[in-house]
Amino acid sequence: MLNTNLIRKKRDGGVLDSDEWQFLINSYCTGDVTDAQMAAMAMAICINGLTPDEISCLTREMLASGTRLPRVSDRPRVDKHSTGGLGDKVSLILAPLIACVGCDVPMISGRGLGRTGGTLDKLEAIEGYRASMSIDESSKILKEVGAFIIGADEQIAPADRRLYALRDVTATVESVGLITASILSKKLAASLDALVMDVKVGSGGFMHTREDAKELAESLVRVGGQSGLPTHAILSDMDQPLGVEASAAIGNAIEVNEAIEVMAQSDPSDGENPLRDLTVALSASAVVQAGVFENLKTAEEQLREKLASGHVMERFEQMIRAQGGRLSGPIPLEQRRDYFAETDGYVAKIDCPAIGDAIIAAGGGRRSGGETLNHRVGIQTHVRIGDLVEKGQPIFTIFDDSDSIASSVQKSPEPWVTMADSPVPANTLILETIPPNTADNPDMT
């Protein structure tokens, strides 16, 4: 086989068979396929798509390019993964939360892709935090703490590790096939008993429409099930940043601070809190699949009690220490500047793409592979879609010493927060759920 022939075949809309995918991924790992050639293949995939069989083949070969994590206890082994969105810091809370109810959570996470921040980038805002660990090191932490959050290394799905970084800087992120293979190759390598997927829908994520998000969710459920991993998907709103009450933090250090606020909250029923509520819903789905609780209602009640007890915060701190981090109070941010509503009205739109681009321009995200991030820049919104706002009320705050974000605000052709004269309905947080095997058997409920 010739690498160029495979690229040409996919460019022209052809379908690669299992042997061709094996040859391509093996050649990429050995260096016989260059990054330039794989970038061309990724673009061809992004344009022409992959068949369900191709997605399964690609997932299998990415998994086979590395090794699997060993089992270190007899506890159920579960995880969650998000397709990513502005302000999505669920993983920081979910890992210690699920560990607190007797599960192991071996979370293999990624860095930022496009406008969406990566869990590892957020955690590395904590001084000393180590995202790269050997299998022996991470296994020891899992046995003692019940959770870790690390990046995939050259042992775990190395083909995906290289392709993941390549996609981020070549505009080839938004592909159902590539996203499915990337996520599941890492999750299958973690030897899980159950997986819950948070598929974001809206302008702040990769899937802007519900139809596209459902296609991705069903792909993940189908391929996960075919691979022996029961996978449940939840479609959640990402037309606005995810946060607490009316506030949402976007950035690295600022998102860690907001996650800590949720874990330190003592009243589990204290007002509307989308970040907490989504985290509990995802966690409940995972632990019910794993057989820890009989139903979602019981699971959610127990998980909320754990959050209110302070045990989740303690477990988070234990995990951070075990991975070399030093956490003492909120992480400092850069210079603060507030922006206020210029008129009365109802919040009709929050410009997620503009906010995400401003974070990148200020150094909080990557424009090319290997960039060093400024973890202390950030943006905090103070309103949600549907809120009634009075003139002079704070609507968002920026944290940036360089004035880069302020420049983005000034140059934006549209306001970051758009007002309407008449009431606007609030967005629904959880739009739809897709249980295991639904994609293969539409009659299941």
Side-chain angles (χ1 to χ4, degrees):
M1 296 182 195
L2 292 176
N3 302 325
T4 51
N5 288 344
L6 299 183
I7 297 169
R8 185 179 296 110
K9 184 175 181 179
K10 181 50 64 179
R11 180 201 68 188
D12 295 339
V15 175
L16 275 60
D17 62 31
S18 59
D19 290 339
E20 289 171 324
W21 283 114
Q22 184 180 53
F23 177 83
L24 179 73
I25 298 303
N26 285 346
S27 298
Y28 187 44
C29 291
T30 61
D32 292 332
V33 169
T34 66
D35 279 346
Q37 289 175 312
M38 188 55 81
M41 175 61 83
M43 184 60 72
I45 291 170
C46 217
I47 293 170
N48 293 315
L50 297 173
T51 67
D53 284 345
E54 284 186 298
I55 298 172
S56 295
C57 287
L58 179 57
T59 302
R60 183 172 60 249
E61 295 308 326
M62 283 188 170
L63 172 64
S65 69
T67 189
R68 291 176 182 254
L69 297 179
R71 302 287 296 223
V72 296
S73 78
D74 58 2
R75 297 186 292 260
R77 196 170 172 115
V78 301
D79 197 4
K80 159 264 175 193
H81 191 88
S82 169
T83 56
L86 287 191
D88 181 10
K89 69 283 294 182
V90 166
S91 293
L92 307 185
I93 308 168
L94 179 142
L97 173 58
I98 294 181
C100 280
V101 294
C103 293
D104 283 344
V105 189
M107 190 172 286
I108 302 173
S109 294
R111 303 192 181 278
L113 275 178
R115 297 187 181 105
T116 65
T119 298
L120 298 183
D121 295 329
K122 304 180 207 301
L123 286 168
E124 286 180 339
I126 300 171
E127 183 182 0
Y129 188 88
R130 292 175 56 212
S132 298
M133 310 192 84
S134 70
I135 289 178
D136 287 344
E137 287 176 311
S138 62
S139 295
K140 183 174 184 292
I141 292 172
L142 191 64
K143 187 174 183 179
E144 295 175 354
V145 180
F148 62 66
I149 303 178
I150 61 171
D153 61 11
E154 288 299 334
Q155 290 181 282
I156 302 169
D160 174 67
R161 184 171 183 264
R162 290 186 60 193
L163 183 55
Y164 191 96
L166 197 64
R167 289 165 54 216
D168 187 25
V169 296
T170 57
T172 54
V173 172
E174 299 89 343
S175 160
V176 166
L178 292 177
I179 294 171
T180 300
S182 175
I183 292 169
L184 289 179
S185 62
K186 294 191 289 281
K187 297 307 178 184
L188 289 166
S191 305
L192 302 175
D193 297 316
L195 172 67
V196 61
M197 284 297 313
D198 180 13
V199 180
K200 300 295 188 184
V201 185
S203 62
F206 296 127
M207 300 297 151
H208 294 175
T209 70
R210 186 161 172 173
E211 292 74 21
D212 289 344
K214 189 169 182 177
E215 179 188 358
L216 173 58
E218 290 181 341
S219 175
L220 288 159
V221 169
R222 180 183 59 250
V223 176
Q226 290 172 346
S227 304
L229 173 59
T231 304
H232 183 184
I234 289 178
L235 274 60
S236 66
D237 173 52
M238 190 37 70
D239 265 331
Q240 58 191 334
L242 180 65
V244 298
E245 301 174 316
S247 176
I250 307 104
N252 292 307
I254 192 173
E255 290 193 40
V256 174
N257 292 345
E258 188 170 80
I260 289 172
E261 287 179 21
V262 171
M263 288 184 281
Q265 189 177 39
S266 60
D267 186 352
S269 60
D270 184 21
E272 182 185 6
N273 190 321
L275 172 58
R276 180 199 61 207
D277 295 344
L278 181 59
T279 302
V280 168
L282 290 163
S283 300
S285 172
V287 297
V288 168
Q289 280 191 84
V292 178
F293 297 102
E294 291 185 359
N295 56 66
L296 291 175
K297 183 175 183 293
T298 302
E300 290 191 4
E301 289 173 353
Q302 293 296 315
L303 291 164
R304 287 178 185 275
E305 287 182 11
K306 284 293 183 183
L307 268 174
S309 71
H311 293 159
V312 179
M313 186 65 213
E314 292 173 2
R315 190 68 63 103
F316 178 75
E317 292 173 332
Q318 189 180 0
M319 182 185 75
I320 296 301
R321 287 195 301 270
Q323 295 192 226
R326 295 176 291 280
L327 188 62
S328 56
I331 304 171
L333 305 176
E334 294 205 337
Q335 180 180 348
R336 174 179 181 142
R337 182 180 304 177
D338 294 311
Y339 289 78
F340 304 91
E342 297 179 355
T343 183
D344 297 343
Y346 296 87
V347 177
K349 177 185 175 183
I350 297 176
D351 194 339
C352 292
I355 292 172
D357 288 344
I359 291 287
I360 294 172
R366 295 177 182 81
R367 287 182 261 200
S368 61
E371 284 183 302
T372 300
L373 299 185
N374 180 349
H375 292 99
R376 297 189 177 189
V377 300
I379 297 168
Q380 187 167 26
T381 59
H382 302 297
V383 293
R384 292 177 61 78
I385 292 173
D387 286 355
L388 174 61
V389 174
E390 296 181 354
K391 182 179 179 179
Q393 178 179 330
I395 52 176
F396 63 87
T397 299
I398 65 174
F399 299 89
D400 180 21
D401 289 349
S402 70
D403 288 334
S404 173
I405 298 178
S407 177
S408 296
V409 175
Q410 293 167 1
K411 293 178 181 178
S412 178
E414 300 289 339
W416 282 7
V417 178
T418 301
M419 302 293 186
D421 294 331
S422 55
V424 175
N427 285 18
T428 301
L429 178 62
I430 295 178
L431 305 173
E432 187 173 351
T433 63
I434 300 175
N437 300 322
T438 294
D440 292 322
N441 186 356
D443 294 328
M444 288 188 67
T445 58

